[in-house]
Amino acid sequence: MDRIDAALRSQHPALHIVFADARHARTVLNQVTERIKKDIPYWRANGVAVAAVAPRADGSGVTVLVRQVPADLAAAMRERYEFPNLELKEGEIIPA
């Protein structure tokens, strides 16, 4: 990987390029994402409308889009999935 880093830096000397390892492997992020997606009926039964779930592009965790974020939801999800890096965002998906 060092050769790739050096080649990119030499080709683009005016840019500040930083290379960093992702906090989580893509396989782990995908597993957590799929578990949450499978649990959408569970969350709906508990009054939580999950609109979307996706791994964050930088590998730092998983984002969960919900219609409304109850105060205890983040802790409940982190405990259920045994994954600390869940980011809950409020919103909904509106078709174009």
Side-chain angles (χ1 to χ4, degrees), residues 18-52:
V18 177
F19 297 91
D21 292 336
R23 185 179 296 167
H24 302 284
R26 176 59 73 172
T27 54
V28 171
L29 297 175
N30 288 343
Q31 289 169 351
V32 172
T33 298
E34 289 307 311
R35 286 184 61 205
I36 296 170
K37 285 180 180 179
K38 287 179 184 176
D39 273 356
I40 287 176
Y42 166 84
W43 292 110
R44 187 180 307 121
N46 285 284
V48 177
V50 176

Side-chain angles (χ1 to χ4, degrees), residues 77-92:
M77 283 191 158
R78 288 181 181 116
E79 182 179 334
R80 183 174 180 86
Y81 303 110
E82 299 175 347
F83 188 77
N85 300 105
L86 294 175
E87 177 185 28
L88 277 64
K89 290 192 173 192
E90 207 167 279
E92 28 185 317

Side-chain angles (χ1 to χ4, degrees), residues 63-85:
T63 299
V64 182
L65 181 67
V66 295
R67 186 168 292 145
Q68 213 170 6
V69 181
D72 59 344
L73 181 59
M77 283 191 158
R78 288 181 181 116
E79 182 179 334
R80 183 174 180 86
Y81 303 110
E82 299 175 347
F83 188 77
N85 300 105

